[in-house]
Amino acid sequence: MTIYNTLSGKKETFVPLHDNHAGIYVCGPTVYGDPHLGHARPAITFDILFRLLRHLGYKVRYVRNITDVGHLEHDADAGEDKIARKARLEQLEPMEIVQHYTLRYHKAMDALNVLPPSIEPHASGHIIDQIALVQQILDNGYAYVSEGSVYFDVEKYNHDHHYGVLSHRNIEDMLNTTRELEGQDEKRNPIDFALWKKAQPEHIMRWPSPWSDGFPGWHCECTAMGRKYLGEHFDIHGGGMDLVFPHHECEIAQAVASQGSDMVHYWMHNNMITINGQKMGKSLGNFITLDEFFTGNNKSLTQAFTPMTIRFFILQAHYRSTVDFSNEALAAAGKGLERLLEAYSHLNKIQPSVDGASTVNVNVGGLRERCEEAICDDLNTPTVISHLFDVCKAINTVYDGNGTFSGDDIKELREVFHVFVEEILGLQTAVETADGNVEAYRKAIDLLLNIRLQAKQNKDWATSDMIRNELTSYGFTIKDTKDGFEWKN
């Protein structure tokens, strides 16, 4: 398989550092608010990578962190800690905020069918590891202590190595354009970034260190935890495009400054979800939470959208392309998903032809290879979906009685749809309900329609029409067939 390495700026063949093993580290959420659509994209993107690597036979250790300390409001080194601020405003302990929104995040990820990572470390649980990292960088001469805080010496590091290898920024340009921030005159240069911050008296979250009672800089957590769980050198580090600079650039500098070499072989970044061309995010106030999408409870939404519609909407675009939100685009995604899952449902009901021949012309044999080639080409999910749609018309033709499939063709199609629709794309084929009780939901609808069927047989047209009309008003589509009925919602 190939993946686009942001560091080299090109697609490269994935060669794991350890045979049959793959290590992935992905920057997870800062848990101080409800997860929104912008959180869904990296989660789904790297869920696809996780699923694909396992499908290809790799033993995968997938680490996705929780940021619960050190991410400041105004920039990486200034302002109030986002979680501490939320705790102060709501008069709660910071870890109450962390627990509440971590659970909300997990609930949303479960709804989106995002697999849980192998390890989900919290920054606050790895303070000792971050202090050790800072001390290594100090010992190697690439950091300095100033008034109880510790800063990374970017200019000195750049003299020996290269600061800007990931973002392709020039340090001279940064020195000329970076403004002096109030309260940061303790830095030697404005572009130096905090490894450890001395806590002010009012700061809630603080830990003892050799330099002061304080807290780690935001960039330290991923370097420290990635190294702890994946080793000094691991395969893939991922996150959103907005993390390339400064977060991931600083991570590279920290790794090289502490151990003499970069930890990461491949850097992967998904692009943004936008609203009217502008990045969606909490800081801009234009975000829609995932729960609001699922319930429709937001003035910007014309309807509710199921978690699988959201997932399909994201997978319809390549992960490195921008996706612009609109109600129309999501509604179209919902219809596309419905078409795909309906064909899959029909496929599972088709019986092989009596004479063992296929009369509908479809390249069944090549479908698996085409899908495999696309998904292994830098996670090209739109092309995989296109290949699956190519055979939907043939499936529906056979289902409607206007052609046949051989037993071998049916078996191959079912296996391909199962592998790519369910296992790799992660699209759930069961009906989605608010409480997740899919089986009871299906049985209740089937019961009503069986009562309607009995009413029709008894020529009780009033009862039959009442059940059909009521279910139709709730959004159900009911189709009478020679064997009874079919329905969907």
Side-chain angles (χ1 to χ4, degrees), residues 4-10 165-166 168 241 244 267-269:
Y4 184 87
N5 189 349
T6 310
L7 191 63
S8 66
K10 61 184 180 182
V165 292
L166 187 67
H168 308 296
M241 194 73 75
V244 170
W267 287 88
M268 292 182 67
H269 295 90

Side-chain angles (χ1 to χ4, degrees), residues 29-265:
T30 303
V31 283
Y32 69 102
D34 277 333
H36 55 74
L37 191 60
H39 289 119
R41 194 165 198 196
I44 291 172
T45 295
F46 293 102
D47 182 57
I48 297 296
L49 178 64
F50 186 24
R51 290 170 179 270
L52 175 59
L53 288 171
R54 298 203 309 183
H55 168 72
L56 294 175
Y58 292 103
K59 183 177 181 180
V60 185
R61 176 173 289 176
Y62 175 24
V63 182
R64 186 185 67 208
N65 72 293
I66 295 290
T67 297
D68 58 358
V69 66
H71 200 166
L72 306 185
E73 280 285 332
H74 302 308
D75 85 348
D77 298 335
E80 190 174 7
D81 185 288
K82 292 181 178 182
I83 290 170
R85 181 176 185 273
K86 187 81 170 180
R88 177 175 57 78
L89 292 175
E90 298 191 14
Q91 297 184 324
L92 295 170
E93 285 290 330
M95 288 304 127
E96 287 184 272
I97 298 294
V98 169
Q99 181 74 358
H100 175 76
Y101 288 111
T102 299
L103 291 175
R104 299 279 289 178
Y105 178 76
H106 287 161
K107 182 179 179 181
M109 294 304 105
D110 287 345
L112 292 168
N113 200 28
V114 170
L115 299 175
S118 313
I119 304 172
E120 191 174 57
H122 288 230
S124 63
H126 295 77
I127 301 297
I128 293 174
D129 304 286
Q130 294 175 77
I131 289 174
L133 171 69
V134 175
Q135 188 62 60
Q136 279 184 307
I137 297 172
L138 275 168
D139 291 344
N140 291 338
Y142 293 110
Y144 57 91
V145 181
S146 178
E147 299 181 24
S149 294
V150 183
Y151 293 98
F152 192 93
D153 193 331
V154 172
E155 195 167 26
K156 182 174 182 181
Y157 172 84
N158 187 68
H159 180 271
D160 297 339
H161 304 284
H162 178 197
Y163 183 77
V165 292
L166 187 67
S167 60
H168 308 296
R169 300 192 181 205
N170 183 283
I171 188 172
E172 285 74 22
D173 293 339
M174 286 188 276
L175 284 169
N176 291 331
T177 58
T178 304
R179 62 187 176 90
E180 293 282 354
L181 295 172
E182 184 179 350
Q184 294 196 39
D185 53 357
E186 61 193 44
K187 293 183 181 182
R188 292 177 183 171
N189 275 307
I191 60 172
D192 293 347
F193 58 89
L195 299 172
W196 185 265
K197 286 287 288 182
K198 180 181 179 180
Q200 298 303 309
E202 68 275 9
H203 198 92
I204 304 173
M205 291 187 284
R206 58 175 66 218
W207 290 265
S209 79
W211 318 289
S212 65
D213 278 4
F215 54 94
W218 171 39
H219 309 307
C220 287
E221 61 183 75
C222 293
T223 306
M225 293 189 291
R227 184 161 64 185
K228 181 180 180 68
Y229 294 111
L230 297 173
E232 290 190 351
H233 301 95
F234 59 87
D235 298 300
I236 299 169
H237 195 320
M241 194 73 75
D242 56 330
L243 297 179
V244 170
F245 187 88
H247 188 48
H248 290 164
E249 194 71 76
C250 293
E251 279 197 62
I252 291 175
Q254 289 171 161
V256 174
S258 62
Q259 65 184 40
S261 59
D262 187 17
M263 293 191 302
V264 180
H265 195 182

Side-chain angles (χ1 to χ4, degrees), residues 283-353:
S283 60
L284 298 173
N286 65 349
F287 66 94
I288 302 172
T289 70
L290 289 171
D291 189 60
E292 288 169 340
F293 274 106
F294 302 158
T295 62
N297 187 25
N298 185 291
K299 63 182 180 181
S300 298
L301 298 174
T302 57
Q303 65 179 84
F305 297 97
T306 69
M308 285 304 99
T309 296
I310 300 294
R311 187 178 179 102
F312 190 72
F313 169 68
I314 289 172
L315 294 178
Q316 280 184 307
H318 192 272
Y319 77 91
R320 287 192 287 113
S321 65
T322 302
V323 177
D324 197 54
F325 156 80
S326 71
N327 284 283
E328 293 76 16
L330 272 173
K335 290 179 181 178
L337 175 64
E338 181 180 345
R339 178 185 161 206
L340 180 66
L341 297 187
E342 182 180 61
Y344 188 16
S345 175
H346 289 169
L347 176 62
N348 287 325
K349 297 173 183 176
I350 292 173
Q351 297 299 315
S353 61

